[in-house]
C-alpha cells in the first residue's frame, strides 16, 4: 500500500494541513493555522476522534430512531467528519454543508472524497448568509460548528442568527452548537440565553472538569421545541473514554443565571483559547 503523504496548502482563510495518522491506515487530521479542525477515518466514518465530535454524534444518534433518514445542515465544514457519520449511520439522508472557505472545501474534496452515494451538497458561503436564504421548515437538524481560527465568529452568536436557524428547522427539529469557553462562562451563558429566545428545550453537554472551571474546553448545546432523550444521551456520553455531563432543566437554568441574550450590536466572538487548549481527545 502506498504510504500516505501529508498535504499542506494555503486556503482562503489560513494555511491548512492534512496529516496521516500513523495508527490508522486511512485516517487524517486536518489543521488550519495549527489548530486541529477535523479528524476523518476514510475506512470507518463512524469513528469520531475528538471529544466534542463524539458528543455531537451522540445527539445525532438520539434525535430520531436509528437509521431514520434526516435532512441535516452543517454550518462549518472542516473535513466533513459529521456529514460522513450521518451518511454511514442514516443512509439516504440529505445533507448541506456550508463552509466559508472554498479553498478548504476543494482541498478536502480532492484528498478525502466522500463515499459514493453520500447525498452531501457543499456550499462555499457564509453560514448566516446561507441560513437567511434557506427555505423555512426545510431541516431536521442544524449543526453549528463554525470557527474563524479558534473562535466562533461574532455574527453567528446573536438572537437574529438563532431565529433564522429556528425558522429553517421543522417543528421537531434540533439545533446543535459546538462552543468553547472557560469559567466564569460569560460566553456560554450568553449563548444559552440567546438560544432560549427561540427554543423551549435546552441541553448542555460538557466534560465535568470544564464545568468545574478547571480548564478551557468545548461545550455542546442542544436546542429544540421538544425535549431530546436526555436519559439516552447521558448514558452515551458517560460511556465515552472522556465522560461528559448532561445538564438540562432546573440545573441548566441555574447555570445560565441572569445572562442576557446577545443582540447583533453586542455580539463578540468566543473567547481566545489559551495555548495548547485544543488537541485530539
Amino acid at each position: 500500500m502506498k504510504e500516505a503523504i501529508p498535504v499542506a496548502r494555503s486556503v482562503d482563510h489560513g494555511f491548512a494541513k492534512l496529516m496521516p495518522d500513523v495508527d490508522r491506515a486511512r485516517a487524517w487530521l486536518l489543521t488550519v493555522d495549527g489548530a486541529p479542525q477535523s479528524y476523518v477515518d476514510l475506512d470507518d466514518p463512524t469513528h469520531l476522534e475528538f471529544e466534542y465530535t463524539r458528543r455531537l454524534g451522540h445527539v445525532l444518534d438520539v434525535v430520531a430512531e436509528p437509521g431514520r433518514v434526516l435532512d441535516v445542515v452543517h454550518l462549518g465544514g472542516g473535513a466533513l467528519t459529521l456529514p460522513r457519520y450521518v451518511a454511514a449511520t442514516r443512509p439516504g439522508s440529505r445533507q448541506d454543508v456550508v463552509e466559508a472557505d472554498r479553498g478548504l472545501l476543494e482541498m478536502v474534496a480532492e484528498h478525502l472524497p466522500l463515499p459514493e452515494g453520500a447525498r452531501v451538497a457543499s456550499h462555499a458561503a457564509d453560514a448566516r448568509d446561507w441560513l437567511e436564504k434557506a427555505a423555512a421548515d426545510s431541516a431536521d437538524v442544524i449543526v453549528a460548528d463554525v470557527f474563524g481560527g479558534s473562535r466562533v465568529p461574532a455574527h453567528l452568536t446573536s438572537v437574529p442568527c438563532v431565529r433564522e436557524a429556528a425558522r429553517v428547522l421543522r417543528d421537531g427539529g434540533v439545533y446543535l452548537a459546538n462552543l468553547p469557553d472557560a469559567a466564569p462562562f460569560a460566553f456560554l451563558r450568553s449563548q444559552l440565553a440567546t438560544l432560549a429566545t427561540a427554543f423551549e428545550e435546552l441541553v448542555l453537554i460538557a466534560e465535568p472538569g470544564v464545568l468545574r472551571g478547571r480548564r478551557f474546553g468545548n461545550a455542546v448545546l442542544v436546542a429544540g421545541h421538544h425535549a431530546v432523550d436526555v436519559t439516552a444521551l447521558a448514558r452515551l456520553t458517560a460511556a465515552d473514554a472522556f465522560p461528559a455531563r448532561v445538564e438540562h432543566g432546573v440545573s441548566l437554568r441555574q447555570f445560565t443565571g441572569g445572562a442576557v441574550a446577545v443582540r447583533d450590536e453586542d455580539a463578540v466572538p468566543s473567547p481566545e483559547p489559551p495555548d495548547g487548549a485544543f488537541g485530539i481527545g
Side-chain angles (χ1 to χ4, degrees), residues 179-202:
L179 302 172
D181 203 3
F185 304 112
F187 178 74
L188 191 55
R189 294 178 204 270
S190 74
Q191 290 306 287
L192 284 162
T194 301
L195 286 168
T197 65
F199 298 102
E200 288 81 22
E201 298 288 341
L202 301 178

Side-chain angles (χ1 to χ4, degrees), residues 164-182:
E164 284 299 322
R167 181 188 63 81
V168 172
L169 283 170
R170 298 181 179 124
D171 179 59
V174 180
Y175 179 83
L176 314 182
N178 171 39
L179 302 172
D181 203 3

Side-chain angles (χ1 to χ4, degrees), residues 221-262:
L221 301 188
V222 185
H225 297 305
H226 307 284
V228 299
D229 187 342
V230 292
T231 301
L233 197 53
R235 185 172 63 248
L236 290 169
T237 59
D240 276 342
F242 296 90
R245 262 172 41 200
V246 176
E247 299 287 349
H248 64 102
V250 173
S251 65
L252 189 54
R253 288 192 290 274
Q254 291 173 341
F255 178 86
T256 306
V260 176
V262 178

